[in-house]
Amino acid sequence: MATLDDFYSIIPAGGTGSRLWPLSRADAPKFLHDLTGSGKTLLRATYDRLTPLSGTGRTMVVTGRAHRAAVEAQIPELEDANIVLEADPRDSTVAVALAAAILRRREPDVIVGSFAADHVIADERAFRRVTAEAVAAARAGYIATIGITPTEPAIGFGYIRAGDSVGVADAPRAAIVREFVEKPSAQVAQRYLDEGDYLWNAGMFIARADVLLAELAAEEPELAAQIEELAEAWDEPARRGPAVDRIWPQLQKIAIDYSVAEPAAARGRMVVVPGDFDWDDVGDFSAVAKLHNNGRRGRLAILGSEGTVLADSASGIVVSQSKRIVSVVGIHDVVVVDTPDALLVTTTDNAQRVKQVVDAVRRSGNTDAL
Amino acid sequence: MATLDDFYSIIPAGGTGSRLWPLSRADAPKFLHDLTGSGKTLLRATYDRLTPLSGTGRTMVVTGRAHRAAVEAQIPELEDANIVLEADPRDSTVAVALAAAILRRREPDVIVGSFAADHVIADERAFRRVTAEAVAAARAGYIATIGITPTEPAIGFGYIRAGDSVGVADAPRAAIVREFVEKPSAQVAQRYLDEGDYLWNAGMFIARADVLLAELAAEEPELAAQIEELAEAWDEPARRGPAVDRIWPQLQKIAIDYSVAEPAAARGRMVVVPGDFDWDDVGDFSAVAKLHNNGRRGRLAILGSEGTVLADSASGIVVSQSKRIVSVVGIHDVVVVDTPDALLVTTTDNAQRVKQVVDAVRRSGNTDAL
């Protein structure tokens, strides 16, 4: 498959992944870890997955100032023009729309696609095929998303209800988005799976930059104007800093789901292309264990090899990030995350509760460990 | 209760307690830890329990040369004459009989009692009352032991089958030992509990030193002679070293159960006094958890306070010996032992299997951590 000449990838690399604490930290967030054992961080794997689509040098990374060095270490070939440093995090609308606005000024007809820095996709060919359809739909003026075909009644994801095909040539599977729905209960998730027209929302958005920004302007005119103002000054070194200093503190924090995707769906401007490839947002250690154990229970995954891991009748996952001996005996579906300054012991079934521990660590005053 | 003028306590302080790894180590064995949260190490607590019985300055500690400084730090008042340093470990017969032989040369009619350095007894008054009976039986020429009245069908202890009373004045409950039996199966342990004449073998032996040594001489004449030779030179500084150098390497390793207790029982010379007090040899982390949680499940005991322990829906025990944050979430009957160089994660039901981990650590070459 050839690269898509009018396409540009955006990777918003933010969020700490607090359900992956103590592996994921403020200064070493999820996207800077190799959670699959591939030898690549999630960020690097995302970058490498997108390059065949948008072409070399046509991927922009949006990240926090604190992560600049780490991002550059992961992607040494990333040009300065392709890194957008956020003064502080302002949620996904600012991250994606600012990148889109900067790119549109450079390339008025550009189609942008935004893909999280910390998701895992095994079948890259299928991903490229589906994304090419989404780009074709975007070329036709839609805002496109990729909805993952569910393989189980997951309660950890939002869902997209697909409607009829929109009949775009080169995007035969692109269907109108009837609605976005929030994370469901187990019962509702089972119904979604049975009904067959619900897809997982993987947070991937593909659109012409001008279409995306017009949708934003219709829903959030003030934010859209501030973003345009920033973008207009961005590529002039003497003007960028003052513009950021003046505008950034005022920027509204709002997820792109609310500022663009849902309003666009309500206006019939949003399509979804079903993605029938394995996808995971690796939201907690249960997901990490599953990835490593190929979905099979009863195995013990070992992530990292700083120390010596000794196991006897154990399954689940051990993350070894200290130089210690970690021994796990007679315990199943366990999660042990061993780092130099913090240890987590839980089970895969309780992996979602780690966020509460992070809150407890914050309350205990050990903020260095966050 | 007055002290018993003719009585002398012996504390063999040996063994590493490998089922308590990684808390208990070769260089920090079980008896040097406070496993009860009393603020005292098990050795110190044992010493303090015996002083009211044998009197101040009348307790002898037998330990390895490597532990001399640690023992003296625990018992600063211990006189040089009351510490016997072993060149290397030679099992319990050498430890107890050498101490007995040294004491007999100093005090021919002395009654000695040997009590492990790493057991836990809560009711000290009951212990003293029962031990006083054992001393009375010893004064009458018997080798006495204390058998703990079982409270459950334990499979981790050996048992003593008690027979008829021997009718010693001042030792009304002293009964002949019909037999010593090894650790039973669960089924047999239940039968022992139901039958009512079986007691737990707590490894406590009380006898006139000369009686004990005569029993040993009858069963193991060569070992008894070597021990006498050592004892004869012991209190002469110029002669002790050469005697140890010459004799120690030849000393047979044999448990006192086999060299003295069982043969004496077979000859009808062994009595048992039932001890109806709480006693535990704290053999594994399940026992440590039980001690801390007052036998109740569903609680999380925290031993040590080097780091910060955060728990949410967790029970069992956390031993915190590093300065790290230890977080335990949604996991029951767990055992987490966090030390600077090694971590153990298991469950109370698997606590006995820790010994196998120690073997695995040895095979992995990480012997520094043992």
Side-chain angles (χ1 to χ4, degrees):
Chain A
M1 209 180 84
T3 59
L4 304 159
D5 288 343
D6 52 353
F7 184 57
Y8 217 102
S9 299
I10 299 169
I11 304 177
T16 53
S18 59
R19 279 167 304 179
L20 292 175
W21 181 89
L23 178 63
S24 187
R25 308 283 184 106
D27 60 356
K30 185 182 155 196
F31 61 83
L32 292 176
H33 292 277
D34 169 16
L35 296 182
T36 65
S38 69
K40 289 181 186 178
T41 62
L42 295 181
L43 173 63
R44 180 74 224 190
T46 302
Y47 186 87
D48 289 346
R49 188 187 308 129
L50 294 168
T51 299
L53 276 165
S54 46
T56 303
R58 290 179 62 84
T59 296
M60 179 174 265
V61 177
V62 186
T63 195
R65 284 177 179 168
H67 303 311
R68 177 183 194 149
V71 167
E72 288 176 348
Q74 284 304 310
I75 314 171
E77 65 270 44
L78 194 68
E79 293 160 29
D80 279 353
N82 275 331
I83 183 161
V84 173
L85 296 174
E86 298 181 297
D88 62 60
R90 291 278 150 170
D91 217 323
S92 54
T93 300
V94 169
V96 177
L98 176 58
I102 293 167
L103 291 169
R104 184 173 62 129
R105 285 180 183 271
R106 297 179 191 164
E107 226 172 286
D109 296 323
V110 72
I111 293 167
V112 296
S114 166
F115 305 89
D118 54 9
H119 293 179
V120 170
I121 292 167
D123 184 349
E124 305 213 343
R125 287 179 57 188
F127 169 73
R128 288 198 295 267
R129 206 168 50 233
V130 170
T131 304
E133 276 199 54
V135 171
R139 212 175 274 130
Y142 290 102
I143 298 182
T145 186
I146 294 170
I148 310 299
T149 310
T151 51
E152 56 179 343
I155 59 170
F157 306 135
Y159 284 70
I160 300 167
R161 189 175 179 201
D164 296 331
S165 166
V166 289
V168 172
D170 300 331
R173 287 176 296 180
I176 204 80
V177 171
R178 292 177 62 178
E179 59 173 332
F180 287 95
V181 288
E182 303 279 338
K183 295 177 184 180
S185 66
Q187 198 184 350
V188 171
Q190 186 61 53
R191 182 165 64 75
Y192 289 171
L193 189 65
D194 296 341
E195 293 186 5
D197 52 351
Y198 286 85
L199 302 160
W200 289 336
N201 183 355
M204 302 172 186
F205 297 104
I206 299 99
R208 282 181 60 103
D210 56 1
V211 169
L212 184 89
L213 293 163
E215 287 292 339
L216 177 64
E219 187 69 18
E220 299 286 349
E222 193 186 339
L223 181 58
Q226 291 165 327
I227 287 170
E228 289 294 353
E229 206 180 331
L230 268 173
E232 193 267 325
W234 199 264
D235 282 341
E236 293 183 39
R239 294 179 58 215
R240 185 193 295 180
V244 168
D245 290 347
R246 189 178 71 250
I247 300 165
W248 203 273
Q250 308 170 44
L251 294 173
Q252 188 193 346
K253 291 183 182 180
I254 180 171
I256 195 165
D257 307 75
Y258 307 129
S259 66
V260 173
E262 292 185 7
R267 280 192 283 270
R269 303 305 310 148
M270 187 96 209
V271 299
V272 59
V273 182
D276 51 356
F277 48 80
D278 281 347
W279 161 88
D280 204 307
D281 72 349
V282 213
D284 62 27
F285 284 114
S286 176
V288 181
K290 222 159 134 189
L291 271 177
H292 277 261
N293 296 333
N294 295 317
R296 276 168 279 193
R297 294 189 98 150
R299 293 181 171 200
L300 185 75
I302 296 172
L303 186 57
S305 54
E306 287 296 315
T308 302
V309 177
L310 300 168
D312 180 10
S313 286
S315 67
I317 184 164
V318 172
V319 182
S320 163
Q321 293 248 315
S322 82
K323 298 212 178 295
R324 309 190 310 159
I325 297 171
V326 176
S327 50
V328 185
V329 181
I331 188 162
H332 290 281
D333 299 321
V334 75
V335 173
V336 176
V337 184
D338 183 56
T339 76
D341 62 347
L343 167 70
L344 170 72
V345 178
T346 185
T347 64
T348 52
D349 286 346
N350 285 279
Q352 286 279 328
R353 295 168 68 169
V354 171
K355 219 164 181 167
Q356 287 147 249
V357 177
V358 170
D359 294 339
V361 172
R362 189 168 289 117
R363 286 195 303 272
S364 77
N366 290 277
T367 45
D368 283 357
L370 294 178
Chain B
M1 206 178 86
T3 59
L4 305 159
D5 289 342
D6 51 355
F7 184 57
Y8 217 102
S9 299
I10 299 169
I11 305 178
T16 54
S18 59
R19 278 168 305 179
L20 292 175
W21 181 88
L23 179 64
S24 187
R25 306 286 184 106
D27 60 356
K30 185 180 156 197
F31 61 83
L32 291 176
H33 291 278
D34 168 16
L35 295 183
T36 65
S38 69
K40 289 181 185 179
T41 62
L42 295 181
L43 172 64
R44 180 74 224 190
T46 302
Y47 186 86
D48 288 347
R49 187 187 309 128
L50 293 168
T51 299
L53 276 164
S54 46
T56 302
R58 290 178 62 84
T59 296
M60 180 173 265
V61 178
V62 186
T63 195
R65 285 176 178 170
H67 303 312
R68 177 182 197 151
V71 167
E72 288 176 348
Q74 284 303 310
I75 314 168
E77 65 269 45
L78 194 68
E79 294 161 27
D80 279 354
N82 274 331
I83 184 161
V84 172
L85 295 175
E86 299 181 295
D88 61 60
R90 292 278 150 172
D91 216 323
S92 55
T93 301
V94 169
V96 177
L98 176 58
I102 293 167
L103 291 169
R104 185 174 62 129
R105 287 183 180 267
R106 297 180 190 163
E107 229 173 282
D109 295 323
V110 71
I111 293 168
V112 295
S114 166
F115 306 89
D118 54 8
H119 293 179
V120 170
I121 292 165
D123 185 349
E124 306 213 342
R125 288 180 57 188
F127 168 73
R128 288 198 295 268
R129 205 169 52 236
V130 170
T131 305
E133 277 199 50
V135 171
R139 213 174 273 130
Y142 290 102
I143 298 182
T145 186
I146 294 171
I148 310 299
T149 309
T151 51
E152 56 179 345
I155 59 169
F157 307 136
Y159 284 70
I160 300 167
R161 189 177 180 195
D164 295 331
S165 166
V166 288
V168 172
D170 301 329
R173 287 176 298 179
I176 204 79
V177 171
R178 292 177 63 179
E179 59 172 333
F180 287 95
V181 287
E182 303 279 340
K183 296 177 185 180
S185 66
Q187 199 185 351
V188 172
Q190 186 60 54
R191 182 164 64 75
Y192 289 172
L193 188 65
D194 296 341
E195 291 185 7
D197 52 351
Y198 286 85
L199 302 160
W200 289 336
N201 183 356
M204 302 171 184
F205 297 104
I206 300 101
R208 282 180 60 105
D210 56 2
V211 169
L212 184 89
L213 293 163
E215 287 292 338
L216 177 63
E219 187 68 17
E220 298 285 349
E222 192 185 340
L223 182 58
Q226 291 164 328
I227 286 170
E228 289 293 356
E229 206 180 332
L230 267 173
E232 193 266 323
W234 198 262
D235 282 342
E236 293 184 37
R239 293 180 58 217
R240 186 195 293 182
V244 168
D245 291 347
R246 188 178 72 252
I247 300 166
W248 203 272
Q250 308 171 45
L251 294 173
Q252 187 191 347
K253 291 183 183 181
I254 180 171
I256 195 166
D257 307 73
Y258 306 129
S259 65
V260 173
E262 292 185 9
R267 280 191 284 269
R269 302 303 311 145
M270 187 94 209
V271 299
V272 58
V273 182
D276 52 358
F277 47 81
D278 280 346
W279 162 88
D280 204 308
D281 72 349
V282 213
D284 62 29
F285 284 112
S286 177
V288 180
K290 221 158 135 190
L291 272 176
H292 276 261
N293 296 333
N294 296 316
R296 275 169 279 192
R297 294 189 98 152
R299 292 181 172 201
L300 185 75
I302 296 172
L303 186 57
S305 55
E306 288 295 317
T308 302
V309 178
L310 299 169
D312 180 9
S313 286
S315 67
I317 185 164
V318 172
V319 182
S320 163
Q321 293 248 315
S322 82
K323 298 210 180 295
R324 308 191 311 158
I325 297 171
V326 177
S327 50
V328 185
V329 182
I331 188 162
H332 290 281
D333 299 322
V334 74
V335 174
V336 176
V337 185
D338 183 57
T339 76
D341 62 347
L343 167 70
L344 170 72
V345 178
T346 186
T347 64
T348 52
D349 287 346
N350 285 279
Q352 287 277 330
R353 294 168 70 169
V354 172
K355 218 165 182 166
Q356 287 147 249
V357 177
V358 170
D359 293 339
V361 172
R362 189 169 290 116
R363 285 195 303 272
S364 77
N366 290 278
T367 45
D368 283 357
L370 295 177

